[in-house]
Amino acid sequence: MSPISFTITIIILSSLLPSGHGFFKKHKGELEVRLGILAPLLIDLERNNAITALEREEVQSKSTRQEKNYTLMSILDRRGTKAQDRFYEALKAHDPPLVEDIEQSAM
């Protein structure tokens, strides 16, 4: 295989893998409703500089789960691709059944 063919193959294969940004954008509304376990996610996101301590506190200050989820999704939307990628990785680590269910239902 030539170097060019190899590079093209890698590009094609990597485009087939879900990105955190793509997952976030595609399923944001569903995540607002279905996210359940926030504490470990928020800690992970803060440790990886996807959100700040102030943003974590803002999410935690909301009274209902749906308000917390909406606030987190809004923050991640503002923070951009890098934060959304980190969110996807954290979600896969802390709630893999949710990620699998959302990805399978989208097929």
Side-chain angles (χ1 to χ4, degrees), residues 94-105:
H94 296 287
D95 198 349
L98 177 60
V99 174
E100 290 171 19
D101 187 54
I102 289 174
E103 288 178 336
Q104 287 177 354
S105 68

Side-chain angles (χ1 to χ4, degrees), residues 34-37 41 90-100:
R34 295 189 61 190
L35 271 180
I37 306 168
L41 268 176
L91 189 59
K92 285 194 309 185
H94 296 287
D95 198 349
L98 177 60
V99 174
E100 290 171 19

Side-chain angles (χ1 to χ4, degrees), residues 61-88:
S61 74
K62 301 302 178 188
S63 55
T64 69
R65 183 175 61 104
Q66 194 153 0
E67 287 175 320
K68 290 177 184 188
N69 292 348
Y70 177 80
T71 301
L72 177 59
M73 295 300 104
S74 297
I75 290 168
L76 292 170
D77 208 15
R78 279 194 321 266
R79 303 275 297 179
T81 302
K82 196 172 190 177
Q84 295 159 14
D85 287 341
R86 289 183 175 154
F87 167 76
Y88 179 65

Side-chain angles (χ1 to χ4, degrees), residues 20-31 102-103 106-107:
H21 171 72
F23 178 86
F24 176 84
K25 288 295 186 185
K26 185 174 183 179
H27 304 292
K28 182 180 165 194
E30 189 171 0
L31 288 164
I102 289 174
E103 288 178 336
M107 292 183 162

